[in-house]
Amino acid sequence: MSRLLDDRVFNKETLLDSTVNLVPFGILLFFFVLFAVTIPEGWRDGALMDIYMWTIMISMIWGLLHLTYATAKRI
């Protein structure tokens, strides 16, 4: 019953359970940085495809962070 009354979302147990999402988060960050570094000339003719790629990567990172928070809140 005291666990239900605890206002903290991230305690020691929750952090340990949420560390499983560090691997996909690291992979997403790797590709985010790789994509940012490999286009030194800036926008090119396929700028629409670049926008799609940024949108996909940012939405995946946001989704993973949101899922991790929602899971930690319910554990």
Side-chain angles (χ1 to χ4, degrees):
M1 185 69 174
S2 65
R3 180 143 166 88
L4 294 174
L5 298 175
D6 191 8
D7 291 338
R8 293 185 357 189
V9 174
F10 290 104
N11 55 18
K12 186 177 179 182
E13 294 175 16
T14 310
L15 285 174
L16 288 175
D17 290 338
S18 298
T19 55
V20 78
N21 289 338
L22 287 178
V23 172
F25 188 70
I27 293 169
L28 285 170
L29 283 179
F30 170 76
F31 283 112
F32 188 82
V33 171
L34 182 69
F35 186 71
V37 170
T38 58
I39 305 178
E41 68 271 1
W43 298 101
R44 51 183 191 273
D45 293 334
L48 188 60
M49 295 306 274
D50 290 341
I51 292 171
Y52 287 153
M53 190 64 192
W54 282 109
T55 304
I56 289 171
M57 285 191 298
I58 290 171
S59 67
M60 290 295 117
I61 290 171
W62 181 85
L64 182 62
L65 290 174
H66 179 69
L67 179 68
T68 303
Y69 179 76
T71 303
K73 195 172 179 179
R74 285 176 177 76
I75 289 180

